[in-house]
Amino acid sequence: MAGRTSLQHATFRDDLHAEFKRYLMAESARFDRAECLRIDFHCHDHNSDVPDELWGRILGLPETWLKTSKLVKCLQGNGSDVLTITNHNNARSCWKLLEKGLDVLVGAEFTCFFPGHDLYLHVLTYGFTPEQEAVLNRKRADVYDFLRYAAEHDIPVIQPHPLYLYTRQPGINPELYEKLALLFQNFEVLNGQRDVWQSVLTLHWAQGLTEEKLRRYSRKHGIDATDFGVSIERAKTLTGGSDDHMGLSAGQCGSSLWVPDLARRLRDTAASTLALEALRAGRVAPFGDVGENQKLNIALLDYFAQAATRIEDPGLLRMLFHRGELKDKVACFAVANALLELKKHKKTQMFVSFVHDALHGKKPDWLVRWNVSKDYRFCVKHLEKIADSRRDAPDQFVPAVNEAVADMFRGLSKLAIKRLRASIPKSDDLLSDLSTESLIRSFEIPSQLSAMLLGSTASGKKSGKLDFKELLDQLAFPALIGVVLAGAQFASTRALYENREFLNTFARQLGRSQHPQRALYLTDTLRDKNGVSNSLSGKLAEIQRKDLPIDFLICHADAAPEPQLHVVQPLAEFSFPKLAEQTFRIPDLLEIANIFYRGGYDRIVCSTEGPMVVVALFLKHMFNVPAHFFMHTDWMDFLRHTTDLNQHERDRIRRLLRTLYHQFDSVFVLNSDHRAWLTGHEMGLAESAVHLTAHHTEPATFNVVATRKSELIPGANASTPVLFTACRISKEKGVLELPEIYHQARLAIPDLKLVIAGSGPAESKLRKALPEATFLGWVDRQQLAQLYAGLDLFVFPSKFDTFGNVILEAFSQGMPVLAYNCKGPKDIIQNGRNGYLVDSIDAMSERIVQHFESRERHAAMRREALKRVADYQAEPIMRQFLQDLGLQGPAERVAQRTAA
């Protein structure tokens, strides 16, 4: 389920599709279909055996295992009149087809180095001889030499996917495209494996290359376009191709080539010769459709399915000494191990082979359906649907596959969770017994490989409550298949957006089709009964009021979608009573990834360290977008106040948090102490990456009628001194200090009363220690405001809170606050003006007594409290928050639209 979002980003991709569809319709009307040849200018088979991608070379995997005959069958089945196969840096498949007597337009996709820019680009090349192929391969070390040679010998070339180049550099100089405009006459505007945004950007750029602009580029760079067979006076020729590697979509995208008097010409001229003639003359119109990232998802799923059955161990030393950065080698090591593990499991290997068969229209046979475990029958049904759509409804194939993949991933995830739960010994009640201390003390992996892999204890006996070998066997199939399904989507989307920063720059320079700037805000808690949830609810309310470019997403079984709030159902929920009574909800990773993609988001905010932080980092790397973390909880302080862990044991968590926070582009903190800690030597974040922010007060949507003390407390009247506290009743909140604070103050003020709102794990203990106090339980926002307005002094004994929303809530009704002089409160309370800051229990009791002894100051303190609230209004806080995220507020967006 998803909440309604703003019109701008909800229609971004729809608008792009509509625009590109109009372009293709106009192109289809340019030529008489009866006088056109159809060709897919861009497809591959097994002779693309040396990949350009670094990971493929490290792993020793080819780009495809597709047989030439299957590719030819796919091309012809999809209506291609002319055959060509454009393998990387060779035309072996074309030569072999010619030897068999087929009419083929000889082609190849050469990888050429672009000097001065330290990058490689592909060049689709056609109509050359074997001798010319050898020369072209020698000259591809310099794209200028390559293209001069092609022009001298009238060999037509196309630059495919112009916005997808191969570089290890962090950015691409936009001047590169000024040079490309002078080097190429033909550009591939429709690539079946690229998304619609890149296609539309390419279209706008190519159509905007006027004669005047090209002459200016020529003077600027000293490049004579005629040296490369490029006519400045002629419009660019735009082509289409499927870029198919798997034999799944070859021929579905391509180019119509207009050949006047085609029927007569075909009587004495080969179709391949006519195709070459039309390409040289620019009589080309692209056809087909752009499948977003879906077609590439499917292609990579098929690739992974085949790699899992064909991969051989690439060798650790080979990977270690291969060209590339350490992070690439580590990633390839992980991929190799995952694929080799898949290959080792017979059931898993059979399943991935069924995936490959289904994608090519072959159903699992009846024996498979009969023998498959009931746990996996839903997977077989989905594979049958895929095969049926491939064979009987090709136009529904892409959506059918993507729907099936999503359903299989969700089902396998639920199955893995179910088996994990079943493997936990119920008699031990492991989840109930799990505490913070036990979790952290067991948070380690042996550094000795034999201990890690084989396990060991001092006694030599198996340790632990779980049979991990059995558990791994139970989880192997759903986990490994889930990795394949999610990995295909991750890899395809990452490939499309590897150069996202450049695409944004390119769009800004064009002044058209700029990607919306909008954040998806992930949180594990919202609409729950806790302080973080309340704070985030206030932030969401302000976002909804102002229609700010942020949408929230939560995983929740009971919450309902709202404007700018997506709600996904949890795959499972886990409760750990001894871990601060938290409920962990496990979301569907691919469902959220689809929401992110369809919603047109371009950045992420995450505000909790639960399962959503894993989702946030997955999306960050999948879509190559910035991710920011909003720090609500001081976990180190939580451990100090709720556990008996020593410094060494707490440092384990500090190092984990340090590693986690360093994965984000920036971190938002709520107090100056936290900022100093994160930028200090213990955590090591750059000062520019840590933003100081605040929570804001929320405007009341109801009339506040002050609570009457006499109605709340038996025997009380308007002059009775009453303390108030409202919070989660737990140890880390300092509530167990309340009895001593209250009883000491009561020695001097016998009629002093105490009212406590909230609930939590320490409530029973606190009730026993304070039988004379009035306990209200959890109260709603309106009742809470009435209590702030009607009682006298708010006592806040927590040293744990990073901010202290309740302080602002109290101030908003004129109630002064007494708190410890620590992070959070000390940034908000002005000591002696609107509250008090103290350092000990004794000092807190003394301040209570002094406060009620000087009642003449109460009115002034109430005024100062109300005045302080003005410093925490939503508008300036949210404006700065948006600025730190790199987003525009309402005023900036209006100004931009007006200027446009």
Side-chain angles (χ1 to χ4, degrees), residues 548-826:
L548 300 180
I550 302 174
D551 296 328
F552 270 64
L553 186 147
I554 60 172
C555 180
H556 205 291
D558 303 317
E562 301 174 17
Q564 295 179 267
L565 172 62
H566 299 281
V567 180
V568 298
Q569 290 294 303
L571 298 175
E573 295 183 344
F574 294 92
S575 294
F576 300 92
K578 294 190 178 181
L579 292 180
E581 292 189 322
Q582 293 299 311
T583 296
F584 292 88
R585 304 177 181 98
I586 310 301
D588 184 333
L589 197 63
L590 294 189
E591 181 183 3
I592 297 176
N594 186 56
I595 290 172
F596 189 91
Y597 185 78
R598 293 297 169 194
Y601 300 101
D602 71 335
R603 64 204 71 198
I604 304 157
V605 184
C606 182
S607 67
T608 44
E609 292 91 344
M612 281 298 182
V613 82
V614 177
V615 177
L617 293 177
F618 180 84
L619 296 178
K620 168 185 167 68
H621 294 290
M622 181 177 184
F623 291 94
N624 194 21
V625 294
H628 309 269
F629 192 83
F630 198 120
M631 188 175 174
H632 287 275
T633 304
D634 185 341
W635 290 108
M636 302 311 297
D637 215 24
F638 174 81
L639 296 177
R640 278 191 292 269
H641 285 84
T642 62
T643 71
D644 59 359
L645 295 172
N646 59 39
Q647 184 63 47
H648 171 71
E649 291 166 334
R650 292 198 300 269
D651 276 345
R652 292 181 180 179
I653 299 303
R654 179 180 60 80
R655 295 185 187 104
L656 176 65
L657 291 173
R658 180 174 62 195
T659 301
L660 175 64
Y661 296 150
H662 273 271
Q663 306 310 305
F664 288 88
D665 295 85
S666 73
V667 177
F668 289 85
V669 295
L670 290 162
N671 61 73
S672 54
D673 283 11
H674 256 158
R675 191 176 194 279
W677 178 63
L678 286 176
T679 57
H681 73 279
E682 285 192 335
M683 300 301 282
L685 271 69
E687 289 192 11
S688 60
V690 182
H691 305 297
L692 184 61
T693 186
H695 293 313
H696 56 78
T697 55
E698 291 186 65
T701 57
F702 44 79
N703 293 324
V704 178
V705 179
T707 297
R708 293 187 178 183
K709 298 175 184 178
S710 58
E711 295 176 357
L712 186 66
I713 305 167
N717 55 48
S719 62
T720 301
V722 181
L723 304 175
F724 179 50
T725 191
C727 63
R728 182 175 181 271
I729 303 179
S730 57
K731 183 180 178 182
E732 74 275 6
K733 291 290 188 177
V735 293
L736 297 183
E737 295 180 3
L738 280 174
E740 186 175 354
I741 294 168
Y742 174 64
H743 290 143
Q744 282 190 30
R746 202 176 181 191
L747 293 176
I749 312 174
D751 61 342
L752 183 66
K753 304 298 182 183
L754 174 62
V755 175
I756 300 171
S759 59
E763 183 175 354
S764 177
K765 188 174 184 178
L766 191 62
R767 282 180 179 271
K768 290 180 181 178
L770 286 169
E772 61 270 68
T774 300
F775 288 83
L776 303 178
W778 187 269
V779 299
D780 62 28
R781 187 179 167 218
Q782 182 172 0
Q783 186 180 354
L784 198 57
Q786 293 169 347
L787 292 164
Y788 288 133
L791 305 184
D792 299 308
L793 179 65
F794 190 84
V795 180
F796 188 59
S798 174
K799 298 176 183 177
F800 164 71
D801 285 62
T802 57
F803 186 73
N805 271 343
V806 288
I807 298 174
L808 289 183
E809 291 172 1
F811 280 180
S812 67
Q813 300 303 323
M815 176 180 273
V817 177
L818 170 61
Y820 285 117
N821 188 20
C822 61
K823 65 178 184 302
K826 74 176 186 180

Side-chain angles (χ1 to χ4, degrees), residues 313-371:
D313 191 338
L316 182 59
L317 291 179
R318 180 183 173 279
M319 288 193 289
L320 183 63
F321 295 121
H322 202 286
R323 178 184 298 178
E325 297 180 9
L326 179 61
K327 64 180 182 181
D328 293 307
K329 297 173 184 179
V330 171
C332 288
F333 176 76
V335 170
N337 274 270
L339 292 175
L340 290 169
E341 193 67 26
L342 277 166
K343 191 174 180 181
K344 191 170 70 176
H345 287 79
K346 184 177 179 181
K347 279 196 303 185
T348 307
Q349 194 172 21
M350 287 178 60
F351 182 81
V352 295
S353 68
F354 296 152
V355 170
H356 169 68
D357 290 343
L359 290 172
H360 290 267
K362 181 182 176 182
K363 288 184 178 182
D365 60 34
W366 67 270
L367 190 60
V368 172
R369 296 195 297 272
W370 179 264
N371 289 326

Side-chain angles (χ1 to χ4, degrees), residues 854-867:
S854 53
R855 289 179 178 266
E856 67 280 359
R857 298 186 63 248
H858 289 191
M861 293 193 81
R862 284 186 174 273
R863 287 195 298 272
E864 287 296 326
L866 291 168
K867 184 178 177 181

